[in-house]
Amino acid sequence: MNSIGASYKPDATGTDPKQTGSVPSLKLNDGNEIPMIGYGLGTANYKKGQDSKLDQRIIDNTITAIKAGYIHLDGAEAYNNEEELGIAIKKSGVPREKLFVTTKTSCSPGVTVEQAFNVSLKKLGLDYVDLYLIHSPFWAKSPKDLQEKWAEMETIKESGRARSIGVSNYIQEHLEATLETARIPPAINQIEFHPYLQHGDLLEYQRKKNIAVAAYGPLTAITKAAPGPVDGIYKSLATKYGVTEAEIALRWTLDLGIVALTTSSNEQRLKSFLRDLPSFKLTPKEVEEIAEAGKKKHFRVFWTHAIAPDDRR
């Protein structure tokens, strides 16, 4: 296996993490750290509409993930499951301070960030979150809207109730508008990211601005976009390293210096990710090979109503 030195702390500049005995954390631009593998409560674990009935399946899935070793938990107001996440945290028996909890605001019309955040904290049953994100920029009608909402986010961080603040689904123009007036830059931008959606120059821009990247949908090339040009590469590398193709996809994400989120509810798969991902590392040539092959196909799963089908940003 490709073994690389142990003691290293990756950060938002994009330098890949070294091989260690466990999944590393990434240092954000505000000095806080985020575990580079997270359990996402979106996709398979969200409630449609405004259903207020507790979903025991979501609670159980989340407890399973926590007990499997996932301390980074990614939720959102829009998933309508913050209450389930909060219950799972309490029932897991893992001390709150050992967990990294993320939630997001949808920036609903007529609702301030303060109001949305207070509702989220109440549903979660927490005094603070580790990361609070603006879920998307597509509600904004102008750069000024983005700037004003970001100023509200800064107030939340300064109150200490969100250790870090960031954004989600932003492309470069949204980040540029936000940074024009920001006193505190976003710590992270969470985006759909996989070989078939690499967002052009966005990663390079964020690295220059020291804004970290988190990827949701990192397994899309396997789960939703197959067949495709990376299939053979994934298969060959999985054989070489004695892991699954899904683990190759996740390791590729990590080796780009990107936080990876999984929504799997399969206990054995969740455990294998945490067991196997620290045990190997792709070579720079292998990372580049996957990236170059991925550029031959364009595939986007989320936000297709807001972004043109041929827009690769």
Side-chain angles (χ1 to χ4, degrees):
M1 292 190 178
N2 176 38
S3 179
I4 297 182
S7 120
Y8 179 78
K9 185 65 65 178
D11 60 30
T13 60
T15 304
D16 63 323
K18 306 305 182 191
Q19 184 176 348
T20 65
S22 60
V23 174
S25 291
L26 182 144
K27 189 173 183 179
L28 300 171
N29 59 21
D30 59 9
N32 294 321
E33 295 182 4
I34 181 170
M36 290 192 74
I37 290 288
Y39 178 73
L41 277 85
T43 314
N45 287 301
Y46 76 99
K47 293 189 300 187
K48 294 181 179 179
Q50 296 301 313
D51 185 5
S52 60
K53 184 180 178 182
L54 282 176
D55 189 327
Q56 188 62 44
R57 178 187 62 86
I58 297 174
I59 296 171
D60 292 342
N61 285 348
T62 307
I63 291 173
T64 295
I66 296 172
K67 290 189 174 181
Y70 288 77
I71 59 171
H72 174 182
L73 308 170
D74 182 88
E77 169 192 334
Y79 303 158
N80 195 24
N81 58 17
E82 289 172 311
E83 194 170 356
E84 282 84 353
L85 172 55
I87 291 171
I89 289 171
K90 287 182 175 62
K91 288 189 173 182
S92 72
V94 176
R96 165 65 184 97
E97 62 272 15
K98 293 186 179 298
L99 299 174
F100 187 101
V101 181
T102 299
T103 195
K104 313 174 188 76
T105 174
S106 299
C107 297
S108 302
V111 180
T112 66
V113 170
E114 178 71 25
Q115 290 168 334
F117 186 66
N118 285 334
V119 170
S120 289
L121 279 187
K122 184 176 180 181
K123 287 182 176 180
L124 290 165
L126 301 177
D127 297 324
Y128 72 95
V129 296
D130 298 275
L131 179 62
Y132 193 46
L133 305 177
I134 293 178
H135 205 148
S136 91
F138 303 118
W139 52 270
K141 294 180 174 61
S142 69
K144 185 179 179 182
D145 289 342
L146 294 173
Q147 292 163 356
E148 290 178 347
K149 195 61 68 172
W150 185 252
E152 295 181 56
M153 294 286 287
E154 291 172 325
T155 299
I156 297 293
K157 176 171 172 57
E158 289 168 335
S159 75
R161 293 171 294 155
R163 301 288 171 83
S164 298
I165 53 173
V167 296
S168 184
N169 299 298
Y170 277 40
I171 59 177
Q172 185 170 329
E173 65 187 57
H174 304 124
L175 291 171
E176 288 174 340
T178 299
L179 290 172
E180 277 184 24
T181 58
R183 294 180 293 107
I184 303 170
I188 198 167
N189 182 21
Q190 185 185 121
I191 54 177
E192 179 184 346
F193 187 89
H194 46 79
Y196 302 145
L197 186 59
Q198 298 182 50
H199 297 274
D201 297 328
L202 182 61
L203 265 64
E204 182 181 357
Y205 173 79
Q206 289 194 209
R207 286 164 179 166
K208 288 179 180 177
K209 298 296 183 180
N210 201 23
I211 299 171
V213 181
Y216 65 84
L219 302 183
T220 293
I222 297 170
T223 59
K224 295 182 173 68
V230 301
D231 294 357
I233 303 172
Y234 278 176
K235 184 176 181 179
S236 173
L237 291 174
T239 299
K240 173 183 175 180
Y241 290 109
V243 296
T244 66
E245 292 175 36
E247 288 164 346
I248 294 297
L250 290 173
R251 187 70 237 188
W252 177 74
T253 307
L254 297 181
D255 285 340
L256 286 169
I258 296 173
V259 175
L261 301 172
T262 177
T263 59
S264 176
S265 57
N266 182 294
E267 182 177 7
Q268 293 308 311
R269 190 175 299 126
L270 288 170
K271 287 181 176 179
S272 73
F273 289 164
L274 293 184
R275 180 190 69 237
D276 295 343
L277 286 170
S279 73
F280 76 104
K281 180 173 166 52
L282 302 177
T283 69
K285 183 178 179 180
E286 290 164 347
V287 171
E288 183 64 20
E289 184 182 11
I290 293 171
E292 288 304 310
K295 292 174 184 176
K296 297 175 182 177
K297 178 172 180 173
H298 174 62
F299 190 91
R300 186 191 300 271
V301 180
F302 300 95
W303 301 98
T304 53
H305 65 286
I307 302 176
D310 61 346
D311 191 335
R312 293 174 176 255
R313 296 177 298 166

